[in-house]
Amino acid sequence: MFGDLFEEDYSSVSNNNGKGKRLKTNALEPPAPREFTNLSGIRNQGGTCYLNSLLQTLHFTPEFREALFSLGPEELGSLEDKDKPDAKVRIIPLQLQRLFAQLLLLDQEAASTADLTDSFGWTSDEEMRQHDVQELNRILFSALETSLVGTSGHDLINRLYHGTIVNQIVCKECKNVSEKQEDFLDLTVAVKNVSGLEDALWNMYVEEEVFDYDNLYHCGNCDRLVKAAKSAKLRKLPPFLTISLLRFNFDFVKCERYKETSCYTFPLRINLKPFCEQSELDDLEYMYDLFSVIIHKGGCYGGHYHVYIKDVDHLGNWQFQEDKSKPDVNLEDIQNKEEIDDPLMILKAILLQEESNLIPVDQLGQKLLKKIGISWNKKYRKQYGPLRKFLQVHSQIFLLSSDESTVRLLKDSSLQAESDIQRNDQRLFKTLTSESLTLNDRPSCPHWFDINDSRVQPIKEKDIEQQFQGKESAYMLFYRKSQLRRPPEARANPRYKVPHHLLSEMDAANIELQIKRAECDSTNNTVELHLHLGPHYHFFNGALHPVVSQTESMWDLTFDKRKTLGDLRQSIFQLLEFWEGDMVLSVAKFVPAGLHVCQTLNGDDLALCEIEIADGEDIFVWNGVEVGGIQIPTGSDCEPLLLNVLHVATSGEGEECQQLIESPHVFPSNAEIGTVFTALAIPEGVILINNTESRGEENWTTIPKEDLKKTFREQGLRNGSSVLIQGSNDGNSLLTKQGKWINTVNEINWLQVKNLSQLESEEEQVKISATLNTVVFDIRIKAIKELKLLKELAENSCLRPIDRNGKLLCPVPDRCTLKEAGLKMGSSLGLCPGKAPTSSQLFLFFALGSDVHPGTEMEIIVEETISVRDCLKIMLDKCGLTGETWHLRKMDWCFEAGEPLCEEDAKLKELMICSGDTLLLTEGKLPPLGFLTVPIWWYQPQGPLPHWKDHQDQTNCTLSQGSVWKASSTPGAPSDAHAEVSLWYLGDLEISEDATLGELKSQAMTLPSLEFSIPSPAFLRAWTVESKRPGRLLRGHQQQLKEYKLGKRTEICLEPLQKEENLGPWDVLLRTQMRLPGERAYGPPVDVLWDTARGWTASSLRQRVADVYSLPVEKIEIAKYFPDKFAWLPVSSWNQQTTKRKKKKKQDNLQGAPYYLKDGDTIGVKNFLVEDDDDFSTVRDDIGREKQKELALGKRKSREALRVQCSDVSTGETPARARGPEASLSIHVGSFR
């Protein structure tokens, strides 16, 4: 509901998509340090962006912050005593103090408001619900006033934010003044129909409302109705003026809320003198400077808040990303430039500034960046190498910790450094500081920041103008009196006026954070490796196994993953003094068969983290060739699989006995599955695999002989898969005789049988107890008995499953068990007259025509060896039809007529016709084998007629062959050809699949219904017909029809051309239409050939269209038309995106989503020189969309009506999800009076 409201920062959570190894959790990682701005954000708890924006504004109001800090524990109490029953602890101001101290001093990227919202009495639901920041401002101030009653800060809100307005009515007769004074903490000003803040204030406090004529005022002094003037003025101005903008209004016509997004300007400095009652003071008394803008992005029912804030005390580093490479200081003004160029002096000077001369190495790099404005890598790495290496080289000056995470100056070196470079460093840092202040403190460059929850970014003052209007626009304005001056000691000093106990708490917290980050850095940068030593292993049964024990064959090694593979190899050499010869390190992994070598590690200069070595990785140490004299297969392709192989046991005389033996066997993944026979010494047979993953059920599938050359991996076998080997002499009952494969545990153990035998019975249906192993014959006999039907029915009846729609399915053979028949417990069966088909018979449904309605099919039982011709004859006889112009088609899975059964002499079994299939009797004789019957249509898009056409009026012509799918548009109307498709049926062609497309066009030209004189087949363009529209463009006159893979049901339409056409393989044919200026219509279509040899890019297409219409490419806009949706999608020139890892450009491809551009698509063109709106739609599009909405509404009403009808058996309908009522905002405060 709230769009991008939930913007929690999860940057500290890692997502390792590695090799499935054990990963170190980051749940306990300390929060990230502050970024380059040196300011802290506030984490969003789910819906608290409005709270974060207001808290940051109060935090950057120094007078408010310091007034709150001035209240000590003796007045507010202590948080440690908050749970004591008799203690009066003012929790809200205490938590606000603590939050401000964290924002000032705690070195973390974002602070948490969880403790503060807990003090408000908010639940997790409240923290996930968004509220209005203007409402929060008033409620928070009220809560603070209540919390501070009886303290020296009882008037804090009143002192800083309270102002008064006086409303006056002046009688025109006696000049009597009637006035009423109002207090305010914030001014609410109108936005609608107002150009800006000053205009709104003028209407409120300068303009007068006159009472006259029918609207007179009753003057108490005159005691009669008189003319009068009403006005309002600001009587008392507060030091801080809060202005709330009325962005949200209610439309009484539409009865809905809306957000006012029109342009509303506000000045950076405003003179309130014209709006005040007393104006005799100096202008400076009325001057106010803008210092905070709370911005709302979204609509009236939700959105997101962030805030633009002016850093009055210059606490942050106001430096832009693009200026990072520029130093904060002017190095030319430093007398000794060598001092900056010498990293030794800079680093020693930075360390001398630290109290303990100890600092994490990462923070040392950050402080270097802040001081000189450029990172170590950019300025010094090329000459001096990495920072840690530089510190190691100068070990006589710097002392690195054992894990190289922290650094400090040696004592002797620090004393010498202080004496040697004190003078230089003082001058250097004096210059650095003075220059930084000069750049940061210029009055012309105020420090503004965009604080968006956790993110803090510097902005320029001119960026505020972007928030004048739009869906993301200013919502609250905060001004401070220009005469308010900050003391010099507060500048760039976050510790100023912070209470001592909070300073101590924050210092301790920072030390703890540094320790945790150092520990976390050490933990995150070390990996535990399991070294498997090659001489302690031997290779058998497809995998590596320890010679003695796993404990003696594996060594654990903890190693810094920032070090290189060469360092790891050297460390292992030092550990293994006995090693001789080459050492190869390979990544291995344990599989059920044993240890398998996956990948050899290369690149000694690469760090372990760069080659993605995970924690807990198994490393095999060997010579890279053999182990124990056996060459080792490596790689994921030959990973060993441990399979459970089942086969028939052999007796002592060499004969097979009916007993299965299950034994484990190991095979390489890339071995052919037929090698199972070799491993078991079985000459030939059948292999079955179990495809069911769920426990308790098994589904055995036979592997065809042609698939025996496929590998185990291609067959989808995994570790633990079962393979059954049946010899050529094994019986078919091998599986069913094994009790281990039969699942006898079922929650439902009955079937429901309905009486459909046309004989009367006492009950219509009965429940028959059964298991999956019950034979169907037994169930049928039980049903006949319980239904009390005639015993003769047992000889001439069958059971047929009933689907969810009530349709009777194919009869179930009596000899099958329920499991073999695929019946589930609880199913419904019908007891029907007639015998079930035997194992050599087929039960088929058939129907007449292609429009088949459920339940109208006829049924027939035939032998599976019957031919298609004989089956057709039997069906025609049953329907009472005769003739030779019929053929059979098989119904496909979409319940539509599929491919015809062309081979009339073929047996049904050979054509894979199964019991339960539906065949369709279709009128029309099939073409001979190798021939196609192709319906031909005539396609005439709108536009200029070819010069070779007859002069007769063809606008709405109907060819003699008959049917028209769509009529063309009305003559004289503005062209809307993108929506009109006219196809006239010409007739059918019987043509060989070996014929060319040119020959098909030539034969189509001879059809009697074609009344045109066409010069040659090259003047015709051929399309397939899809959904009654031109679909795929058929290219190449000499290409054979079978190469197009048209299929038996393909229809083709022919389009006339004005000139010959020969499309290349990279040419795409598009139909462009120019938008008519001032009309919601298009001109006639123009065919455009677009060469896509250099890519399907938007810029290439725009350039091609611009060339066709002789327009500048920047002055056109194009869009693709989707006729099924009546929608246009503008084709934008996307920017090429570059991935960080591979540095490859990702090209925009119009063949893919969302355009799916292809031949024949309509492209609308808009000329911005004459029309500048972005609407591509036409009146017909509006009508089409409305019809689609009506159709969807009708379907929805039908579903709702059906749901109401079924409400007596269903659990009830699910109503549409309505917007929940708006919850009021409140802050719970204790009583301190």
Side-chain angles (χ1 to χ4, degrees):
M1 171 180 174
F2 297 132
D4 59 350
L5 171 65
F6 309 106
E7 293 195 353
E8 276 296 341
D9 187 359
Y10 300 109
S11 60
S12 64
V13 181
S14 70
N15 182 16
N16 191 325
N17 296 322
K19 307 165 185 174
K21 295 289 183 180
R22 176 168 56 88
L23 301 181
K24 296 181 181 178
T25 177
N26 289 327
L28 300 178
E29 280 193 2
R34 302 190 180 206
E35 294 186 351
F36 67 97
T37 59
N38 201 33
L39 296 178
S40 175
I42 300 177
R43 284 191 291 274
N44 194 328
Q45 296 189 55
T48 56
C49 55
Y50 68 103
L51 172 66
N52 296 348
S53 300
L54 182 60
L55 290 176
Q56 289 284 16
T57 299
L58 297 177
H59 167 241
F60 280 94
T61 308
E63 291 77 5
F64 176 88
R65 183 182 70 228
E66 291 164 6
L68 194 63
F69 280 152
S70 66
L71 304 174
E74 63 280 359
E75 292 186 279
L76 301 180
S78 175
L79 289 174
E80 289 77 9
D81 302 332
K82 65 179 180 179
D83 296 326
K84 294 181 180 179
D86 298 332
K88 286 193 174 183
V89 181
R90 306 170 193 265
I91 302 178
I92 293 179
L94 283 172
Q95 292 291 6
L96 204 54
Q97 280 185 346
R98 193 163 175 268
L99 175 64
F100 287 168
Q102 291 175 353
L103 292 174
L104 286 171
L105 300 170
L106 199 57
D107 184 19
Q108 60 180 0
E109 184 183 32
S112 171
T113 55
D115 292 337
L116 179 64
T117 53
D118 287 346
S119 71
F120 291 168
W122 289 1
T123 63
S124 58
D125 291 340
E126 191 69 45
E127 291 155 357
M128 293 294 291
R129 185 182 294 120
Q130 191 185 47
H131 289 283
D132 185 80
V133 69
Q134 297 177 2
E135 179 187 14
L136 173 69
N137 183 58
R138 302 180 186 110
I139 292 175
L140 180 59
F141 279 4
S142 175
L144 280 174
E145 284 186 315
T146 304
S147 296
L148 297 178
V149 167
T151 69
S152 59
H154 64 91
D155 62 342
L156 186 152
I157 302 298
N158 190 70
R159 188 171 71 247
L160 297 180
Y161 295 96
H162 177 262
T164 56
I165 301 171
V166 58
N167 294 292
Q168 296 180 339
I169 300 179
V170 180
C171 175
K172 296 288 188 180
E173 301 291 336
C174 65
K175 306 302 180 184
N176 180 57
V177 178
S178 174
E179 68 177 33
K180 179 182 178 182
Q181 182 172 295
E182 296 179 4
D183 300 325
F184 71 86
L185 295 178
D186 65 299
L187 293 178
T188 302
V189 298
V191 173
K192 185 177 181 181
N193 300 326
V194 182
S195 62
L197 176 61
E198 291 170 305
D199 188 17
L201 293 176
W202 184 273
N203 294 339
M204 294 170 63
Y205 303 117
V206 176
E207 296 285 351
E208 291 184 343
E209 181 184 358
V210 178
F211 299 105
D212 56 5
Y213 302 111
D214 295 335
N215 186 28
L216 295 174
Y217 167 72
H218 184 271
C219 176
N221 193 30
C222 300
D223 197 21
R224 59 187 177 89
L225 295 175
V226 296
K227 293 183 179 182
K230 180 181 179 182
S231 63
K233 290 288 185 182
L234 297 172
R235 172 165 288 179
K236 174 182 174 293
L237 292 174
F240 297 92
L241 180 64
T242 304
I243 297 176
S244 300
L245 306 183
L246 288 176
R247 286 278 183 189
F248 300 113
N249 290 308
F250 189 83
D251 189 329
F252 289 95
V253 176
K254 297 181 179 180
C255 290
E256 64 181 16
R257 293 171 63 188
Y258 69 96
K259 181 178 179 179
E260 187 65 52
T261 58
S262 58
C263 182
Y264 190 89
T265 62
F266 46 88
L268 297 174
R269 171 169 285 191
I270 187 171
N271 186 353
L272 297 178
K273 187 173 184 177
F275 317 117
C276 293
E277 181 184 31
Q278 300 174 356
S279 57
E280 65 276 1
L281 300 177
D282 187 74
D283 281 0
L284 292 178
E285 296 288 336
Y286 305 97
M287 299 300 293
Y288 280 75
D289 292 327
L290 182 70
F291 76 97
S292 177
V293 182
I294 293 182
I295 298 154
H296 181 265
K297 177 183 180 181
C300 56
Y301 293 108
H304 181 66
Y305 289 96
H306 61 109
V307 61
Y308 285 179
I309 284 184
K310 183 179 179 181
D311 183 10
V312 177
D313 280 346
H314 290 206
L315 301 175
N317 178 26
W318 191 65
Q319 178 185 3
F320 290 90
Q321 295 283 3
E322 61 268 22
D323 297 334
K324 272 187 150 184
S325 59
K326 301 176 184 178
D328 285 344
V329 299
N330 186 358
L331 297 181
E332 294 180 358
D333 294 340
I334 298 180
Q335 295 179 4
N336 189 359
K337 292 179 63 176
E338 288 76 10
E339 294 172 352
I340 292 294
D341 295 331
D342 183 9
L344 192 62
M345 183 171 291
I346 294 289
L347 295 177
K348 287 194 291 185
I350 292 174
L351 285 169
L352 283 173
Q353 302 298 312
E354 299 298 317
E355 295 180 4
S356 61
N357 292 341
L358 176 69
I359 187 173
V361 177
D362 293 339
Q363 287 192 23
L364 179 63
Q366 293 176 8
K367 289 183 178 292
L368 176 73
L369 172 64
K370 291 179 182 179
K371 293 301 182 185
I372 66 174
I374 190 170
S375 67
W376 174 276
N377 287 343
K378 287 186 178 180
K379 185 167 182 64
Y380 302 116
R381 184 184 177 97
K382 187 174 182 181
Q383 182 177 358
Y384 298 101
L387 178 58
R388 281 186 172 84
K389 182 179 179 181
F390 180 83
L391 297 174
Q392 290 173 346
V393 171
H394 296 83
S395 57
Q396 73 279 10
I397 299 175
F398 305 107
L399 177 62
L400 275 169
S401 61
S402 58
D403 58 359
E404 299 183 355
S405 61
T406 59
V407 62
R408 64 180 301 166
L409 279 177
L410 291 173
K411 291 185 177 180
D412 296 339
S413 177
S414 63
L415 294 175
Q416 182 181 355
E418 287 189 47
S419 60
D420 289 348
I421 65 171
Q422 184 176 13
R423 183 175 61 258
N424 295 333
D425 283 346
Q426 286 176 352
R427 185 175 72 254
L428 171 64
F429 278 96
K430 182 178 179 181
T431 308
L432 286 169
T433 307
S434 63
E435 290 296 331
S436 296
L437 292 177
T438 303
L439 281 176
N440 290 340
D441 297 348
R442 290 197 300 265
S444 60
C445 292
H447 294 191
W448 282 87
F449 293 91
D450 176 13
I451 305 182
N452 190 343
D453 288 340
S454 300
R455 299 194 302 272
V456 182
Q457 296 291 334
I459 61 171
K460 297 180 181 179
E461 205 169 47
K462 63 181 181 181
D463 294 334
I464 300 175
E465 298 177 4
Q466 300 173 4
Q467 307 303 331
F468 285 169
Q469 61 185 345
K471 289 187 177 180
E472 183 176 6
S473 48
Y475 190 54
M476 285 188 77
L477 308 175
F478 296 84
Y479 286 88
R480 57 182 289 125
K481 221 167 192 178
S482 301
Q483 287 189 332
L484 292 176
R485 295 290 180 225
R486 298 291 296 148
E489 56 270 21
R491 181 156 300 227
N493 182 11
R495 303 175 74 89
Y496 182 70
K497 291 289 183 75
V498 179
H500 179 73
H501 69 283
L502 288 177
L503 286 175
S504 301
E505 181 183 347
M506 294 304 113
D507 290 343
N510 278 326
I511 293 174
E512 185 178 356
L513 276 176
Q514 288 186 11
I515 295 172
K516 285 184 177 180
R517 285 178 184 142
E519 293 174 351
C520 183
D521 182 70
S522 175
T523 303
N524 289 341
N525 287 311
T526 57
V527 290
E528 184 178 349
L529 304 178
H530 304 308
L531 304 181
H532 301 269
L533 310 181
H536 294 180
Y537 277 79
H538 63 138
F539 185 83
F540 75 94
N541 203 14
L544 292 163
H545 298 270
V547 175
V548 183
S549 67
Q550 189 70 50
T551 305
E552 295 185 13
S553 304
M554 184 179 73
W555 291 15
D556 290 336
L557 174 65
T558 301
F559 201 75
D560 192 337
K561 66 181 179 181
R562 292 169 294 188
K563 293 187 177 181
T564 65
L565 180 62
D567 296 334
L568 174 62
R569 196 188 312 275
Q570 188 63 34
S571 298
I572 297 176
F573 262 122
Q574 294 173 1
L575 287 173
L576 308 178
E577 299 178 355
F578 62 85
W579 192 273
E580 295 180 359
D582 295 336
M583 177 184 287
V584 175
L585 303 181
S586 300
V587 176
K589 75 172 183 178
F590 280 103
V591 294
L595 187 69
H596 176 66
V597 179
C598 299
Q599 175 191 0
T600 298
L601 299 176
N602 296 311
D604 281 5
D605 57 340
L606 295 176
L608 298 190
C609 56
E610 293 177 321
I611 56 179
E612 298 181 351
I613 297 295
D615 187 41
E617 194 83 77
D618 292 291
I619 303 296
F620 191 65
V621 185
W622 60 316
N623 59 14
V625 180
E626 50 82 24
V627 172
I630 301 177
Q631 190 169 355
I632 305 300
T634 62
S636 58
D637 291 341
C638 59
E639 179 180 318
L641 293 178
L642 181 63
L643 305 178
N644 296 320
V645 180
L646 301 100
H647 60 95
V648 178
T650 305
S651 64
E653 291 76 16
E655 297 179 355
E656 293 181 347
C657 59
Q658 295 298 318
Q659 180 181 358
L660 281 180
I661 294 179
E662 181 176 354
S663 58
H665 286 264
V666 177
F667 300 93
S669 301
N670 57 355
E672 293 181 1
I673 198 166
T675 56
V676 176
F677 293 123
T678 306
L680 297 177
I682 298 177
E684 61 179 1
V686 179
I687 299 179
L688 298 93
I689 60 176
N690 183 13
N691 292 328
T692 306
E693 296 183 1
S694 60
R695 180 176 266 182
E697 293 185 8
E698 299 196 3
N699 181 18
W700 293 92
T701 304
T702 304
I703 298 178
K705 287 186 177 180
E706 58 270 17
D707 289 347
L708 291 180
K709 290 190 177 297
K710 291 186 177 180
T711 65
F712 289 93
R713 176 158 296 178
E714 290 171 342
Q715 286 291 348
L717 293 174
R718 298 182 297 275
N719 283 298
S721 295
S722 296
V723 177
L724 175 67
I725 310 300
Q726 271 190 289
S728 56
N729 297 324
D730 293 343
N732 294 328
S733 60
L734 182 61
L735 290 177
T736 57
K737 293 179 180 179
Q738 303 302 316
K740 61 187 291 184
W741 285 308
I742 297 176
N743 180 17
T744 60
V745 181
N746 295 285
E747 295 180 2
I748 301 175
N749 57 358
W750 52 264
L751 293 171
Q752 185 170 269
V753 180
K754 296 183 179 180
N755 179 18
L756 303 177
S757 64
Q758 301 176 352
L759 298 177
E760 294 185 0
S761 62
E762 295 182 3
E763 297 182 12
E764 292 185 359
Q765 60 187 26
V766 291
K767 284 185 179 180
I768 305 297
S769 299
T771 67
L772 287 176
N773 301 316
T774 305
V775 179
V776 174
F777 174 79
D778 295 338
I779 297 174
R780 185 166 64 88
I781 298 302
K782 287 182 182 179
I784 293 175
K785 290 180 179 179
E786 295 194 17
L787 289 171
K788 299 180 180 179
L789 297 172
L790 297 176
K791 293 183 179 180
E792 290 76 8
L793 197 61
E795 299 297 328
N796 190 28
S797 64
C798 62
L799 290 178
R800 298 178 62 179
I802 303 173
D803 68 4
R804 64 181 62 185
N805 297 320
K807 178 183 175 180
L808 285 171
L809 304 180
C810 177
V812 182
D814 282 346
R815 68 185 182 279
C816 295
T817 64
L818 296 183
K819 184 176 182 180
E820 291 170 344
L823 294 176
K824 297 181 179 179
M825 289 298 166
S827 301
S828 293
L829 301 174
L831 181 64
C832 303
K835 292 184 178 181
T838 65
S839 59
S840 63
Q841 291 179 326
L842 297 176
F843 182 93
L844 302 176
F845 297 99
F846 71 98
L848 189 63
S850 58
D851 190 11
V852 181
H853 297 282
T856 62
E857 305 98 330
M858 291 174 277
E859 301 164 357
I860 190 174
I861 296 178
V862 295
E863 294 293 329
E864 63 181 2
T865 56
I866 195 174
S867 66
V868 174
R869 180 182 287 105
D870 294 338
C871 182
L872 173 61
K873 186 176 180 180
I874 294 173
M875 291 179 177
L876 288 174
D877 291 342
K878 194 163 185 178
C879 294
L881 298 173
T882 59
E884 300 294 331
T885 59
W886 295 89
H887 65 276
L888 288 178
R889 291 176 181 264
K890 183 179 178 182
M891 181 181 286
D892 61 15
W893 64 277
C894 294
F895 301 98
E896 296 179 352
E899 294 292 329
L901 305 182
C902 299
E903 302 178 29
E904 294 186 342
D905 294 327
K907 298 176 182 179
L908 297 182
K909 181 179 180 181
E910 296 172 350
L911 298 178
M912 307 299 290
I913 303 298
C914 305
S915 287
D917 286 347
T918 301
L919 301 181
L920 301 177
L921 279 169
T922 309
E923 191 170 9
K925 188 172 178 60
L926 286 175
L929 195 62
F931 280 75
L932 297 172
T933 299
V934 184
I936 303 296
W937 296 78
W938 184 259
Y939 169 46
Q940 176 62 64
Q942 292 190 354
L945 300 177
H947 64 277
W948 41 264
K949 291 187 66 174
D950 290 350
H951 295 291
Q952 58 182 315
D953 182 14
Q954 300 289 348
T955 306
N956 286 301
C957 69
T958 302
L959 300 181
S960 58
Q961 196 69 17
S963 59
V964 181
W965 258 344
K966 268 196 176 181
S968 60
S969 58
T970 306
S975 177
D976 198 8
H978 66 268
E980 304 292 348
V981 175
S982 301
L983 295 176
W984 289 271
Y985 178 62
L986 297 179
D988 290 344
L989 282 182
E990 188 173 296
I991 190 168
S992 171
E993 291 181 337
D994 296 328
T996 64
L997 181 62
E999 292 171 345
L1000 181 141
K1001 294 179 182 178
S1002 299
Q1003 291 191 33
M1005 291 166 56
T1006 64
L1007 290 172
S1009 55
L1010 185 60
E1011 302 178 5
F1012 305 109
S1013 176
I1014 303 171
S1016 72
F1019 283 84
L1020 291 176
R1021 183 184 291 154
W1023 304 80
T1024 61
V1025 178
E1026 300 173 6
S1027 302
K1028 300 183 180 181
R1029 290 179 175 273
R1032 177 163 59 105
L1033 178 62
L1034 303 181
R1035 305 164 183 266
H1037 294 291
Q1038 302 305 317
Q1039 192 168 342
Q1040 291 181 324
L1041 297 181
K1042 63 183 178 182
E1043 296 177 5
Y1044 294 108
K1045 299 180 180 179
L1046 297 177
K1048 302 292 184 182
R1049 295 181 294 165
T1050 302
E1051 302 181 16
I1052 290 178
C1053 64
L1054 300 176
E1055 176 189 354
L1057 301 175
Q1058 296 191 19
K1059 60 181 181 180
E1060 294 186 3
E1061 179 180 78
N1062 187 17
L1063 299 179
W1066 299 104
D1067 292 333
V1068 177
L1069 176 68
L1070 302 173
R1071 304 194 189 279
T1072 61
Q1073 292 183 265
M1074 177 63 72
R1075 178 89 168 185
L1076 300 178
E1079 302 182 37
R1080 297 187 64 196
Y1082 289 85
V1086 177
D1087 287 353
V1088 172
L1089 286 181
W1090 173 36
D1091 184 4
T1092 61
R1094 297 186 177 179
W1096 292 65
T1097 62
S1099 57
S1100 171
L1101 177 59
R1102 288 170 59 89
Q1103 186 62 56
R1104 176 64 181 133
V1105 174
D1107 294 343
V1108 170
Y1109 288 97
S1110 301
L1111 291 171
V1113 68
E1114 66 274 6
K1115 294 299 182 182
I1116 67 166
E1117 185 66 33
I1118 59 176
K1120 180 193 168 180
Y1121 184 65
F1122 291 86
D1124 54 335
K1125 299 179 181 179
F1126 300 96
W1128 296 85
L1129 180 61
V1131 180
S1132 58
S1133 294
W1134 314 324
N1135 293 325
Q1136 293 177 346
Q1137 300 176 357
T1138 304
T1139 62
K1140 293 183 178 179
R1141 179 166 299 204
K1142 296 188 178 179
K1143 303 294 183 184
K1144 290 183 179 179
K1145 292 182 177 179
K1146 184 180 179 183
Q1147 296 282 352
D1148 50 329
N1149 190 335
L1150 299 183
Q1151 278 183 298
Y1155 298 101
Y1156 302 106
L1157 205 63
K1158 63 183 185 305
D1159 289 308
D1161 281 347
T1162 298
I1163 301 295
V1165 185
K1166 184 167 290 189
N1167 183 359
F1168 282 161
L1169 295 174
V1170 296
E1171 191 176 18
D1172 58 356
D1173 67 324
D1174 56 357
D1175 180 28
F1176 279 88
S1177 63
T1178 64
V1179 176
R1180 187 185 181 284
D1181 295 332
D1182 297 341
I1183 297 173
R1185 285 194 294 269
E1186 286 299 323
K1187 288 183 178 179
Q1188 286 183 337
K1189 289 180 181 178
E1190 292 174 2
L1191 183 62
L1193 182 61
K1195 290 181 178 179
R1196 187 162 60 249
K1197 289 182 177 178
S1198 300
R1199 287 195 299 267
E1200 291 175 356
L1202 182 62
R1203 193 181 298 119
V1204 171
Q1205 292 175 4
C1206 301
S1207 60
D1208 55 338
V1209 294
S1210 64
T1211 56
E1213 62 180 277
T1214 303
R1217 184 177 179 182
R1219 180 179 289 115
E1222 295 184 5
S1224 60
L1225 179 65
S1226 62
I1227 296 177
H1228 306 288
V1229 187
S1231 176
F1232 300 102
R1233 298 185 182 277

